[in-house]
Amino acid sequence: MAYSNAYFQALEVLILMDITSKKHEGGFLSTKLIAASLGLPQASAAKILAKLKSANLITAKEGSHGGMALEKMLSEITMLDVLNAIEAGNSLFKTQNSMKIKGEVVDRINTSIKNELSKTELIMKDSLKSKTLKDLLKDYDEDIFCNENVTLEGEEKFQL
């Protein structure tokens, strides 16, 4: 499988932004805080954020109270939107013919395998298109999130 962990991390970032925006007006988070929350180097978080911004899923604000915030509500963002933002142009399955034998039968078998993997990826994407990020939180009470103290490793507690 070829999709990166950045997809999962991007989903976490967007949900974190939503939770924080409910607690703190505006919900702008610094790249530093996002990176610390995910346990990522700031450069890696910045790459994820840049892709989300390019896809118009988040917005940026400069200044002392700036950072990144959601451009849309979670109910307007599908899991496929995030996948397309992070993994644009990448296939779930990497396919290459490494067989040493050649011939028409081998070519047909490889084509059959690639076609089946492509169909499988389309089915998965169709499923992701029907799920919003809000759907991921349907079993959780928003008040619990907004009142929970969270601790970053090695840092003080802060209120979401």
Side-chain angles (χ1 to χ4, degrees), residues 55-73:
N56 297 317
L57 299 177
I58 62 173
T59 187
K61 177 180 164 185
E62 293 187 23
S64 61
H65 298 292
M68 303 289 184
L70 289 174
E71 181 76 25
K72 301 175 179 181
M73 296 172 50

Side-chain angles (χ1 to χ4, degrees), residues 9 16 59 63 72-73 76 80 83 87 127 131 142 144 150 157:
Q9 293 161 339
L16 176 67
T59 187
K72 301 175 179 181
M73 296 172 50
E76 300 172 319
L80 182 61
L83 181 71
E87 299 293 346
S127 176
K131 292 286 183 197
E142 289 179 13
I144 292 171
V150 210
K157 281 188 177 183

